[in-house]
């Protein structure tokens, strides 16, 4: 009755369904973490507690959303990947992004005290995250996206490790160190670390050099054959409801593995074909 008078406002809502049969990556990123990391005294350049907290929150997101097949995290960001056959929220952009961001943020704050027992969170500087969804048309491009993030992790970590050694151990000023590093290549930075500080970059922790990859680990393991990438990227023929439920159940039961390994080369993917096949 009276509701009909107002109902037309519903028509103002814009559709935001993401293209079918594409990989969906939801990337979240800490808002103003430059300031937040200073405020709460994160160790420079890498705070193990902060990274472990990011990873712990991301594991909960993976457990909460069985449609996710893999996630990759570095610094204050995490990329969550939905398989092309994912039908969660009818693939609506807004629903997917806000659910991932708010679930992640909720767990980040819930678990904060576990990782920073002596540094309570206090307003007005509280952790929050932004998020966006990007779709990728095939597994090769999805892998290139993941490689891009891991290369970024490596480049930033080598730079930051060198910079903070020069400043904190070498006593150089921030600007001075920055100027000296301008235009240097990886080999130069490795040499500065080794010659001045006796640090072999290769011996730095894998979590700092490679970031963190999360995926589901099944007991059945050790794949016999390795499907070609083309096969892997072919989305499954449309699954029935009961098939989808079965896959979901299997995924929910699986352990979420937390790894700090190379995801650029083929090996990682070949050994775990279910990540790209989406089965289970
Ligand atoms: P945004 O994302 O535009 O709101 O601004 P920020 O400040 O979050 O910038 P972003 O995301 O490009 O860079 C991440 C910042 O977080 C960067 O300034 C360093 C800081 N950060 C992340 N992880 C660590 C850590 O483990 N230790 C320290 N000290 N800082 C960290
Ligand atoms: Mg940013
Ligand atoms: Mg940020
Ligand atoms: Mg960031
Ligand atoms: Mg509701």
């Amino acid at each position: 009755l009276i509701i009909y008078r107002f109902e037309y406002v519903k028509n103002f809502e814009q559709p935001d369904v993401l293209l079918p049969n594409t990989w969906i990556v939801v990337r979240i990123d800490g808002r103003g973490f430059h300031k937040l990391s200073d405020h709460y005294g994160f160790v420079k350049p890498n705070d193990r507690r902060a990274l472990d907290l990011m990873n712990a929150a991301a594991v909960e997101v993976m457990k909460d959303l069985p449609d996710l097949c893999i996630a990759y995290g570095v610094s204050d960001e995490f990329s969550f990947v939905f398989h092309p056959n994912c039908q969660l929220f009818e693939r609506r952009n807004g629903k997917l992004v806000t659910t991932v961001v708010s679930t992640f943020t909720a767990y980040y704050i819930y678990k904060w005290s576990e990782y920073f027992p002596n540094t309570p969170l206090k307003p007005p500087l509280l952790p929050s995250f932004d998020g966006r969804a990007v779709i990728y048309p095939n597994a090769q491009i999805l892998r290139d996206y993941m490689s891009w993030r891991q290369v970024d992790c490596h480049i930033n970590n080598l730079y930051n490790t060198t910079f903070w050694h020069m400043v904190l151990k070498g006593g150089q000023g921030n600007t001075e160190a920055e100027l000296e590093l301008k235009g240097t290549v990886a080999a130069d930075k490795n040499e500065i670390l080794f010659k001045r500080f006796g640090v072999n970059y290769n011996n730095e922790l894998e979590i700092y050099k490679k970031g963190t990859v999360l995926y589901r680990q099944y007991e059945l393991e050790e794949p016999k054959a390795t499907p070609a990438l083309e096969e892997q990227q072919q989305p499954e023929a449309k699954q029935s409801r009961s098939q989808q439920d079965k896959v979901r159940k299997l995924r929910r039961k699986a352990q979420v593995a937390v790894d700090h390994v190379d995801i650029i080369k083929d090996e990682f993917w070949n050994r775990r074909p279910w990540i790209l096949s989406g089965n289970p």
Side-chain angles (χ1 to χ4, degrees):
L1 314 161
I2 192 146
I3 190 162
Y4 295 127
R5 235 189 96 193
F6 302 119
E7 207 176 43
Y8 77 96
V9 296
K10 186 86 181 138
N11 298 325
F12 285 77
E13 291 183 17
Q14 298 285 311
D16 67 343
V17 171
L18 293 167
L19 209 62
N21 276 327
T22 53
W23 296 87
I24 301 171
V25 176
V26 174
R27 181 168 78 248
I28 61 139
D29 185 283
R31 175 174 171 232
F33 264 44
H34 182 72
K35 195 169 161 199
L36 186 124
S37 60
D38 268 351
H39 182 79
Y40 288 105
F42 286 14
V43 176
K44 288 173 198 304
N46 292 302
D47 190 308
R48 187 59 201 260
R49 303 163 299 173
L51 292 174
D52 287 343
L53 173 55
M54 288 289 294
N55 296 343
V59 165
E60 297 303 331
V61 173
M62 289 281 285
K63 286 198 216 154
D64 210 44
L65 301 171
D67 296 82
L68 288 166
C69 43
I70 187 168
Y72 176 75
V74 46
S75 182
D76 68 339
E77 71 169 61
F78 240 99
S79 299
F80 295 94
V81 181
F82 292 98
H83 194 267
N85 65 20
C86 165
Q87 291 303 326
L88 184 63
F89 306 134
E90 285 79 48
R91 300 174 67 88
R92 285 162 64 189
N93 188 331
K95 282 247 191 187
L96 288 166
V97 172
T98 55
T99 300
V100 169
V101 170
S102 62
T103 305
F104 184 92
T105 307
Y107 277 107
Y108 189 92
I109 289 170
Y110 177 69
K111 288 174 175 277
W112 173 275
S113 63
E114 198 181 309
Y115 293 88
F116 291 94
N118 304 315
T119 316
L121 285 174
K122 196 166 156 293
L125 205 50
L126 293 175
S128 61
F129 294 83
D130 68 38
R132 74 198 64 183
V134 180
I135 54 168
Y136 296 102
N138 59 47
Q140 184 56 61
I141 300 179
L142 187 262
R143 275 190 53 182
D144 287 346
Y145 168 82
M146 304 292 273
S147 300
W148 173 53
R149 297 324 300 143
Q150 191 164 52
V151 167
D152 203 54
C153 168
H154 166 72
I155 291 170
N156 289 332
N157 188 58
L158 179 58
Y159 181 93
N160 292 337
T161 304
T162 313
F163 177 86
W164 286 110
H165 267 91
M166 292 164 77
V167 171
L168 297 175
K169 305 240 163 77
Q172 287 183 265
N174 286 22
T175 320
E176 190 192 339
E178 199 182 314
L179 275 176
E180 192 185 335
L181 286 177
K182 207 173 224 168
T184 58
V185 296
D188 303 325
K189 296 182 188 80
N190 276 308
E191 191 174 298
I192 292 175
L193 280 173
F194 193 71
K195 290 226 168 106
R196 289 188 209 169
F197 307 105
V199 168
N200 183 343
Y201 182 75
N202 291 329
N203 297 338
E204 292 290 295
L205 292 184
E206 294 300 307
I207 185 175
Y208 302 154
K209 288 185 297 184
K210 300 222 165 60
T212 299
V213 57
L214 309 181
Y215 55 90
R216 294 178 209 286
Q217 189 72 66
Y218 301 97
E219 277 158 37
L220 25 144
E221 292 347 312
E222 285 324 280
K224 286 151 220 128
T226 300
L229 189 59
E230 275 98 86
E231 269 171 69
Q232 293 179 36
Q233 77 186 47
Q234 278 309 317
E236 299 280 299
K238 209 166 161 52
Q239 290 173 319
S240 70
R241 267 274 170 215
S242 64
Q243 274 175 313
Q244 279 179 30
D245 287 349
K246 220 166 106 193
V247 165
R248 222 180 245 130
K249 220 175 257 166
L250 273 170
R251 287 195 187 156
R252 237 184 242 291
K253 273 206 306 216
Q255 285 285 323
V256 176
V258 180
D259 249 351
H260 317 290
V261 295
D262 182 282
I263 56 169
I264 298 170
K265 296 193 203 85
D266 291 336
E267 196 207 341
F268 172 84
W269 306 94
N270 287 345
R271 285 180 56 188
R272 302 167 186 88
W274 64 89
I275 294 175
L276 292 180
S277 74
N279 190 15

